[in-house]
Each structure stands twice: as C-alpha cells, then as structure tokens.
Amino acid sequence: MSIKIQTLSGYLHEYQKSVLEPEAFWNRVAETFHWKKQWDKVVDWNFEEPKINWFVNGKLNITENILDRYMYTHGDRPAIIWEPNDPSEASRTLTYKDLYEQVNQFSNALKQKGIKKGDRIVIYMPMVPEAAIAMLACARVGAVHSIVFAGFSSTALADRINDCQAKMVLTSDENYRGAKVIPIKAVVDEAVENCSTIESVITLCRTGGEVIMKQDRDYWWHDVIEGESTICEAEEMDSEDLLFILYTSGSTGKPKGVVHTCGGYMVYAQFTFENVFQYTAGDVYWCTADVGWITGHSYIVYGPLLTGATTLMFEGIPTYPDAGRFWDVVDKHKVNQFYTAPTAIRALEAHGLDPFKGKDLSSLKVLGSVGEPINEEAWHWYHDHVGKNKCPIVDTWWQTETGGIMLSPIAGITPTKPSYATLPLPGIQPVIVDEKGQELKGNSVQGNLCIKYPWPGMIRTTYGDHDRCKQTYFSTYPGMYFTGDGVKRDEDGYYRILGRVDDVINVSGHRMGTAEVENAINEHPLVIESAVVGYPHEIKGQGIYAYVIADDSQRSAASLENEIRATVNKIIGPIAKPDKVQIVTGLPKTRSGKIMRRILRKIAEGQTDNFGDTSTLLDPTVVDEIIENMK
Ligand code: 7RM
C-alpha cells in the first residue's frame, strides 16, 4: 500500500515528520515498492562533490513495479489509453497485461540487437504507446534511455546522441502533428550520418510514409518483435544505476544531460503523482505534455504506471482539428485529472467559449498546471471554464533536475491561491536566499529558491561531466541545490515562483538557454554577434527577442531576419525560432566587453528610458540607436 495524504492535517503531519526524520519518512515510502534486495542505508549524501545516493545497495527493476506488479492484481485494467492526432482514427487501449507483454517482447528484441545493461538508447518518437513501451523496455533490460523531443532538428539530435554515445535510435517513419506530417526517420538519417556510435535504428511504422532503410543498420519495429517471447526477465539494477538521461537547457553552453537513477526516481515519481493529483483507482488521468520532456517522463509514463493508474496519451495538438479538441478528449474518455501548461490555457482562452459547447466536462475532478508561471487571468479562466468552479488547480513547480513535483498543492486538500505553487511536498526543504547567500527566514520574503536537503528524485550528475553539475547547481550557494528560479514567500508562507533569475528563458513552457539560441544565430555566415533575451508574450509566456549585428550589405534586413530564423530552426528546431529579430549596428557593452542584457531586456519589454545605472556603458549612443530602429 502506498502512502496517500488524505487531509490538511495529515499533510502537515507528514511534512513535519519528513523534515525532522527524513530517512524514516523515505524509508516508509520506499517500503511500498517491490525491491529485489533491500537497501542498507536510506541516503548517503553531501552537496559539496555532490554525492547523492538513495536507497544504498538496494536492487530493483522499475518495470517490475509496473508490469509484474499490476499484471496480477489488475491485468485487465487500462494502463494506457491512446488518443490519435486525427479524431477519426480509432483510439487504442493497452491493459496492464498488454503492456506487460508488449514491453517484454520489445525488451527481447533489444537484447537480440545486442543491447546490454548500461547501453544508451536515444528515443526520437511521436506520442504513441510504443514510445512508452520503448522507455519501459530500455528500463527492463537495464539500458539507459534518452528521449529527444521529436521537434528537435537533426543537428540537435546528433549532438545528444554523441554526448551520450548512444548505440541505438528508436524512431518512426513519420509524425502526425495537427495538419502536418513530419518525416522524422529522415531527420534521424541525417543525424546519424554524424554519429559513429550508432549501430542500429529501429523504426515504428506509424503513417506508412516512405523511408529509406539502410542495410544492416535499419530495422522495422514489427520485424524485430516478430517471434519474440512476451516474457523477459527484468535485469537487476542497483538503486543508483542510471535509468535515463534527459537533455535540458541551461544558461551556458550546450544542453546538459540530466541523469536520473532507478531507485530514487521510482519512489519520487510515484509518491508525488498519487498525492498531488489524489489519483484513485479507476480514474482516467491525462497529462498533455510530450514524453520528450520531463513532465512526460514522470507524469505520463512513470508516475501513473507505477501507481497502476490509467494514463491517457494524446498524439495531437490543442487546436487540431479545432480549439475544442482537448474538451472532446476529456468528454470522450471521461478524464478525471487533467494536467497541462499555462501556454495551452492562454492559447485556448484566445478562442473564447464556443469550443466548450456541447462538451461534457463533468468527469473532471482535478486540474494541473506546469512548466511556467500561471498568470492570475489564465488561472481564473482555467478554474471557471474548464473546472466549472469545482476542481482544485494544482500549480506544480518543479524541474527536469528535480525529477518530480516539489512545490504544489495536494489536490482538494491544500487551499489554493491563484498563481501560487503553495507549499512544499513532504520531504522537500526549500529555502529562500538573498544575493549573498543569506537564508531569508520567515514569511513575506523574496529571493532565490534553493533546496537544502536531498530528495530521492533529484539529479545525480550531468552526463559525462560531473563538475558541470557541481558548478551549475551546487556552487552558487554552497551546501544547497540552486534552482535558478526567483521566488517569494507571502504572509501565509505560500510560495510563488517569479521566473528564472539566470539566462534561461521559458517559451511556451519550453526551457531555452539564451546562449544556445545565440550560438545558433551566430552560425549564419553574415552574423557577427548576437544577444538574445526573453520578453513578455501574451500566449507563450515569454517570446524570444534577438538583437543581431550582421553584414546587411548583401541582403535586405527582412530577408536577413528570415534567414536567421531558418538557421535557428535548422540548428535547434522550430521551438527556438526568435519571435523578433532586430538587426543592429552595436550592442550595449560594458567597458570590459560584457553585454548589458538588463538594458536589452528592458528595450524588448518596450521600455525606452530609466535603464538604471548605465555608467559602465561603453557607448550610450548604441542604446538610442536600438530604440530608434525598433519596430
Ligand atoms: C517541469 C518543467 C523548469 C523551469 C523552472 C521554472 C519553470 C516549471 C513552474 C515553473 C512557475 C510553475 N521542467 N516552471 N513549473 N514556473 N510555476 N508551476 O517544466 O526543466 O522544463 O523547466 O520551468 O522556471 O525552473 S523544466
């Protein structure tokens, strides 16, 4: 039996216990899982190296806690309900028994293709049940999956494959997204040209579109499973063996491979899922994220399936065939918990209330929000029109690095407040620090958000570069994990996330490093230098504003801007394309050559004066010129 909070006093009580005796608390949670061997120690840690080991010497396989566990207790219950992009195509339901068989069969296929414990496999797939099957099959045989969102370009895919030295890629012929059909096998082909570690590519037939299959490298999914047994013994994994790597953007350099390990991640994903959403047996839960992001990992696949829940997987987009699609799906599958991003809410808000007509949303019990701050207006619209004033909203704050939800109401239990992630989950010890690293105690304070004690789902390292993990998260404030977010704690002790305090921007809930976008822009042969900042965007939360110094003697500014967008599209993908490109002759720099982004951010917001201290500015006329030439 899992541990499920039932009341506010129950939450407060568990929280107290989890802070006073964290090891006893997590010991109790971990005991609700099936382990092949018990752990010797709950946690062994220091934040200096950092060293983070949970459930030390415990042995397990996460898939046994999904497949073998629920196959016998409720094998005929739906594990995954899949809703296709095109509403006229039939949906699919996989029971726990189906999932057991299909994961095992694909696990055997992976072994046949030479996959061994510890090998890395990159998954570049559409939102189909086979993506979840692929993840679980990797976990079953002890391979480390690294999912790359299928909207990333071949260059971005190749970078990730090379960084983790993957042996295999799993993909599909094409990917349906709204009215578009994207040939993703071709993207993989282009990527692996530059990836010497890749031995094989397995392709799922999703659309039947044409693909090129390379002899002795490329195989069809349906061919490799042919004749394979539906039984496959689960590999014994250490608690700290790698489960997956997921690349995420930071303020500097290329995306980092965030590493999560088997034992702690399992415990944390399950505990947070069941408690935050108050999932009860028989409910249909739907998270609209893509499995290419951490939200998809923890709250489409692992959290729900570890709970024995029914998780809905949606292949499409919110506006196809029209802006009522989400509500059609809720009605059709009688969804009970619905989890989406503020950007989707704002995009649908712009379509008015017509799309709700004729849709029965009465099955809904809980609404969730994730990925970016939810503004009050969107919060109320979500509450009133989607939840019909009767569903609590859980505004869940967390990160790729945290593995699972950290600050959030417990649905129906914690009183909510618009735009507030409210309180920490049991086991989470947040602290607010000022610029100097002094902890700001008490209520009504604002500063940078850190966590001072480990939790089972936290990042272990950045793949292949432990020092980068230390520098990024554990050096700014020694002895603490630094989140990169600003936060305020109000008079009630409730937390409100204010957004990133570093050079990371959040566009439609997607995390992006401004440096990463700049590097892509700089690949254009006529670009000399660029500076990228975020600016408030009505629907996306933040938009991307690029100031570019370029040789415009051979092109009109307009065509140069388009070429720059195309360059970013090719190097990263469509999600990183700047909303605005402004060709400038200079950037505001300090005497020591640092770009004063603060000024650029203000200009992008529409501010034209009061830039604060500009005494270190080398050439103030640059600023005037940028403002003058703004559109
Ligand atoms: C889950 C996810 C992490 C960054 C994080 C924040 C922002 C996420 C919220 C939020 C305000 C929220 N992982 N963020 N959730 N800001 N309220 N409920 O999004 O690694 O992709 O991004 O997203 O800035 O640091 S992520």
Side-chain angles (χ1 to χ4, degrees), residues 295 371-373 395-400 485 497 500 506 511:
T295 305
E372 48 181 321
D395 178 357
T396 63
W397 174 84
W398 59 295
Q399 310 176 295
T400 306
D485 279 307
I497 302 295
R500 301 289 305 198
N506 195 321
R511 215 170 125 169

Side-chain angles (χ1 to χ4, degrees), residues 82-113:
W82 175 73
E83 174 66 24
N85 178 65
D86 180 346
S88 66
E89 190 181 338
S91 50
R92 280 167 65 186
T93 298
L94 280 81
T95 63
Y96 274 89
K97 180 164 180 283
D98 296 333
L99 194 63
Y100 176 96
E101 292 176 351
Q102 293 184 36
V103 170
N104 280 336
Q105 194 171 44
F106 196 64
S107 301
N108 284 322
L110 291 178
K111 286 192 186 171
Q112 274 299 320
K113 286 281 166 280

Side-chain angles (χ1 to χ4, degrees), residues 98-235:
D98 296 333
L99 194 63
Y100 176 96
E101 292 176 351
Q102 293 184 36
V103 170
N104 280 336
Q105 194 171 44
F106 196 64
S107 301
N108 284 322
L110 291 178
K111 286 192 186 171
Q112 274 299 320
K113 286 281 166 280
I115 293 299
K116 303 218 154 47
K117 178 174 174 175
D119 287 343
R120 274 81 58 213
I121 298 182
V122 164
I123 300 177
Y124 188 77
M125 286 181 75
M127 282 289 290
V128 290
E130 284 77 6
I133 291 168
M135 294 164 78
L136 297 177
C138 288
R140 188 91 175 163
V141 304
V144 179
H145 59 72
S146 183
I147 308 189
V148 177
F149 172 60
F152 278 118
S153 71
S154 64
T155 315
L157 174 60
D159 282 349
R160 287 155 175 80
I161 292 171
N162 288 330
D163 188 81
C164 72
Q165 306 264 289
K167 237 178 157 173
M168 182 185 269
V169 181
L170 307 176
T171 190
S172 72
D173 46 5
E174 298 177 310
N175 183 6
Y176 289 125
R177 267 190 82 70
K180 294 191 198 123
V181 188
I182 301 148
I184 63 171
K185 169 63 161 68
V187 180
V188 172
D189 290 342
E190 204 176 304
V192 299
E193 284 285 303
N194 304 306
C195 303
S196 59
T197 57
I198 293 298
E199 292 172 7
S200 47
V201 176
I202 298 179
T203 305
L204 176 79
C205 177
R206 168 67 188 105
T207 67
E210 224 167 288
V211 296
I212 299 164
M213 297 295 271
K214 189 170 166 186
Q215 187 84 51
D216 297 326
R217 186 199 70 187
D218 293 354
Y219 307 92
W220 286 107
W221 184 292
H222 53 261
D223 287 338
V224 300
I225 60 172
E226 167 103 20
E228 290 298 339
S229 161
T230 54
I231 293 173
C232 174
E233 208 186 313
E235 190 72 33

Side-chain angles (χ1 to χ4, degrees), residues 129 181 290 394:
V181 188
D290 189 285
V394 290

Side-chain angles (χ1 to χ4, degrees), residues 246-249 258 293-296 299 339 342 369-374 394-405 407-408 419-421 449 481 483-486 496-502 504-506 509-512 542:
L246 183 59
Y247 286 86
T248 194
S249 298
V258 172
W293 311 114
I294 190 70
T295 305
Y299 300 111
Y339 192 28
S369 174
V370 62
E372 48 181 321
I374 179 164
V394 290
D395 178 357
T396 63
W397 174 84
W398 59 295
Q399 310 176 295
T400 306
E401 295 86 343
T402 70
I405 298 168
L407 304 177
S408 171
S419 301
Y420 281 78
L449 178 59
Y481 167 82
T483 65
D485 279 307
R496 178 179 192 157
I497 302 295
L498 303 169
R500 301 289 305 198
V501 294
D502 53 10
V504 171
I505 54 178
N506 195 321
H510 301 318
R511 215 170 125 169
M512 215 113 47
Q542 278 186 300

